[in-house]
Amino acid sequence: MAQHEYEAKFLAIDVDAVRDHLRSAGAERVLDKTLFTRLIFENDAVQGEQWLRLRDEGGRTTLTLKQVTDATHINGTTEIEVEVSDLEKTAELLTALGLRQVRYQQNYREEWRLGIVTYDLDTWPDLPTFLEVESTSEDAVRKAVAELGLDYGQARFGSIDLIYKSELGRDILAEPTLLFTRQVS
C-alpha cells in the first residue's frame, strides 16, 4: 500500500550550522556523505507525475514507485518502496517488462536521525546543498523544522525537478543524465 511521504525541503541553509544543531540536539549521523545513483523508469502505464526509481544508496538498493498528486503540500507525494539485492538485474527485469530507462541521476546524501525524524543534507549537480526533513506526520516535520529555527513557510515540496525549474530554469526531466562533472567534497 502506498505511504504518504511527509517531507519538506529547505534550500537556503547554513550546512555547518544545521550539522552543529543536529549534533548538539543528540541526532545521530547514520550515513556519511555518500554518492547515490538513480535510474528512472517509465512506460505508458507509469507516466506523468508517477515513475519508478531504482536507486543505489551506497550499499543498499531500493525500487520505489513515486507519485506526486500535489507538489504544493507536504503530503502530496506517495510511494511504495522495496529493497532489492541487485541494481543491474532489477534494471534488466524492468526493461524486460517494457519499461524504459529515461534518466540516470546522481546526488550526494548525508543522513541524520533524531527520534522519528530524518534529516538529509542533499547535494545535486549545480545546486547548493539543501536540507530535507522527513517524518511520519506533518506535525512531526513542523516541530523538527521549528527546532532547527527554520521557517516552515519557506518549505518546498514535491520532486527535485521542481527545484531545478524554479532555481535554475532547467528542465531536468528532459535530460537523460544528471551527473557531477567533478568530485564534490
Side-chain angles (χ1 to χ4, degrees):
M1 184 166 129
Q3 299 285 321
H4 278 283
E5 278 188 332
Y6 294 96
E7 62 184 33
K9 297 172 183 67
F10 296 87
L11 304 187
I13 62 160
D14 178 330
V15 174
D16 291 331
V18 168
R19 278 192 195 108
D20 289 346
H21 181 90
L22 291 172
R23 205 174 282 116
S24 65
E28 177 187 359
R29 183 168 36 198
V30 295
L31 182 69
D32 289 331
K33 191 172 194 175
T34 301
L35 180 66
F36 282 19
T37 56
R38 59 181 43 75
L39 309 177
I40 306 299
F41 290 87
E42 295 178 352
N43 72 5
D44 294 338
V46 180
Q47 58 185 341
E49 290 299 308
Q50 188 178 42
W51 64 94
L52 274 171
R53 177 189 71 202
L54 179 59
R55 181 167 72 183
D56 176 348
E57 302 174 1
R60 177 176 181 255
T61 303
T62 58
L63 177 64
T64 308
L65 176 66
K66 307 265 290 182
Q67 181 170 17
V68 177
T69 55
D70 182 356
T72 66
H73 196 268
I74 191 168
N75 69 350
T77 302
T78 58
E79 67 176 28
I80 302 170
E81 183 171 276
V82 296
E83 193 166 340
V84 296
S85 60
D86 188 311
L87 183 121
E88 288 79 18
K89 288 283 187 199
T90 304
E92 188 179 331
L93 173 75
L94 295 173
T95 301
L97 289 172
L99 283 98
R100 297 177 305 279
Q101 180 186 321
V102 293
R103 286 182 291 290
Y104 176 86
Q105 302 170 330
Q106 296 178 324
N107 79 297
Y108 284 93
R109 172 166 288 174
E110 175 183 331
E111 186 170 299
W112 292 74
R113 277 206 198 107
L114 181 59
I116 59 169
V117 182
T118 301
Y119 304 85
D120 293 324
L121 292 167
D122 282 347
T123 307
W124 285 77
D126 304 318
L127 288 174
T129 297
F130 62 88
L131 175 67
E132 185 176 273
V133 180
E134 182 174 0
S135 193
T136 55
S137 70
E138 181 176 358
D139 286 343
V141 171
R142 283 181 176 271
K143 183 177 180 214
V145 167
E147 288 171 0
L148 278 174
L150 297 173
D151 177 3
Y152 190 80
Q154 298 297 309
R156 302 286 296 276
F157 311 106
S159 56
I160 189 68
D161 61 288
L162 300 174
I163 292 173
Y164 273 92
K165 192 157 285 212
S166 69
E167 300 306 300
L168 300 175
R170 187 168 156 187
D171 181 8
I172 64 167
L173 298 181
E175 298 179 29
T177 60
L178 182 60
L179 310 173
F180 289 98
T181 54
R182 60 179 177 72
Q183 182 78 18
V184 174
S185 56

